[in-house]
Amino acid sequence: MSVSTRRRHSRRRSGDRRTQEERRSRTRTRLLDATMECLADLGWSGTSTTEVARRAGVSRGAQQHHYPTKMVLVAAALEHLLERQRFAYETAFAVLPPERRNVEGALDLLWEVFRGRPARALLELTVAARTDDELRPLCRDLNERILQVILETFGRLFPTTNVPDDAVPTMLRAVFAMFVGLSVQHALDGDAEGHQKAVLAQVKSVASLIIPAPPAPPASPTPDTPDVSDTRADVPPAPEVPEDTDSGTADPLTPEGARS
């Protein structure tokens, strides 16, 4: 075999590997998105690996290959969701009109996140973990991790405040707790009486006094603002897992699958 022929075969094998990795990454992303949808729609007890596979449009064999159990699947979905939410929030803030690129605009976006389906899925897990011994270890520090994302994001967006630095985490913790409570009530009544809107207006009014607006960035073309309440924002694919290949033939889907 000539040198040029060997090079062609090598390039073809490399391309096949990339294509396979892309397929595996897309499969994982569909499974993780479907997991969050199931949690938001059906809650923890109603979520099964069979239903996740059905919604993702993949075989049970492929689902079990990537995420063998329900707990492994949900744990991966949490990581996937937190990173996507962070990316979507920062991107949405960056493309706000200049007059809204301030703490009031940031709080509006944060409230939109708390009202979204991903946040509802996280709330379902938190509530279920109270009485589920298997789920509790996974969710014990969930709120702290979400709060850490908020702290890091606000620290980047608003590096300067009019309060001592050590007071900022406590203030954001209070906002986080308030938004969690407001989101629970919003899920029940949709803010029909406007009470949650009034609370948010007061919070924004106070926040604008202690957090100055960041300097305006140079003008540049602005893409459409992403939906921060959707897990399927345009972000990098799900992280790698150690498996090498997808399963071959799939188990047929059944209406009711055993929950892993």
Side-chain angles (χ1 to χ4, degrees):
M1 181 183 295
S2 67
V3 172
S4 60
T5 301
R6 285 197 299 270
R7 287 176 177 171
R8 283 198 301 272
H9 283 297
S10 176
R11 286 196 296 269
R12 188 179 300 115
R13 286 193 298 269
S14 177
D16 291 343
R17 283 194 297 270
R18 284 195 297 270
T19 301
Q20 185 181 54
E21 280 302 311
E22 290 168 358
R23 287 198 302 268
R24 293 173 63 226
S25 178
R26 286 194 296 267
T27 298
R28 287 192 297 269
T29 299
R30 289 201 303 270
L31 285 166
L32 299 179
D33 286 340
T35 301
M36 285 295 107
E37 290 175 3
C38 280
L39 288 168
D41 291 340
L42 308 174
W44 167 252
S45 62
T47 296
S48 68
T49 53
T50 300
E51 176 62 14
V52 168
R54 186 191 69 79
R55 291 189 181 212
V58 306
S59 70
R60 283 277 287 134
Q63 172 263 304
Q64 291 173 335
H65 172 72
H66 290 291
Y67 306 105
T69 68
K70 178 180 176 179
M71 196 61 65
V72 171
L73 177 60
V74 170
L78 283 177
E79 300 299 325
H80 173 74
L81 172 62
L82 289 173
E83 185 56 34
R84 282 188 171 236
Q85 287 293 86
R86 181 206 304 265
F87 181 90
Y89 182 85
E90 291 185 341
T91 303
F93 183 85
V95 299
L96 281 175
E99 64 273 13
R100 291 195 61 216
R101 209 168 299 159
N102 51 33
V103 70
E104 293 173 288
L107 287 170
D108 282 333
L109 286 177
L110 186 61
W111 177 230
E112 185 175 343
V113 168
F114 271 80
R115 288 181 297 162
R117 287 170 56 79
R120 190 179 305 171
L122 292 174
L123 181 62
E124 290 287 342
L125 286 177
T126 303
V127 173
R130 186 181 69 84
T131 56
D132 190 304
D133 292 338
E134 186 181 11
L135 183 60
R136 192 178 302 119
L138 178 64
C139 297
R140 183 175 288 119
D141 66 344
L142 179 57
N143 283 341
E144 284 299 318
R145 296 187 61 197
I146 297 172
L147 182 61
Q148 191 60 39
V149 170
I150 294 173
L151 287 170
E152 292 172 0
T153 303
F154 268 71
R156 284 192 295 271
L157 296 178
F158 306 104
T160 302
T161 70
N162 295 328
V163 297
D165 290 343
D166 57 358
V168 173
T170 301
M171 293 173 56
L172 287 176
R173 187 179 295 274
V175 170
F176 173 74
M178 183 185 303
F179 276 22
V180 169
L182 290 174
S183 67
V184 172
Q185 187 61 37
H186 188 275
L188 297 175
D189 64 13
D191 199 18
E193 302 296 327
H195 298 313
Q196 294 137 46
K197 182 179 179 180
V199 171
L200 180 62
Q202 289 296 321
V203 171
K204 292 192 297 181
S205 178
V206 173
S208 65
L209 298 176
I210 60 179
I211 301 179
S220 60
T222 57
D224 293 338
T225 303
D227 182 358
V228 296
S229 66
D230 189 350
T231 58
R232 291 163 294 187
D234 183 16
V235 298
E240 285 296 317
V241 292
E243 293 84 359
D244 291 333
T245 58
D246 281 341
S247 296
T249 57
D251 297 338
L253 296 182
T254 57
E256 299 293 333
R259 294 173 187 166
S260 302

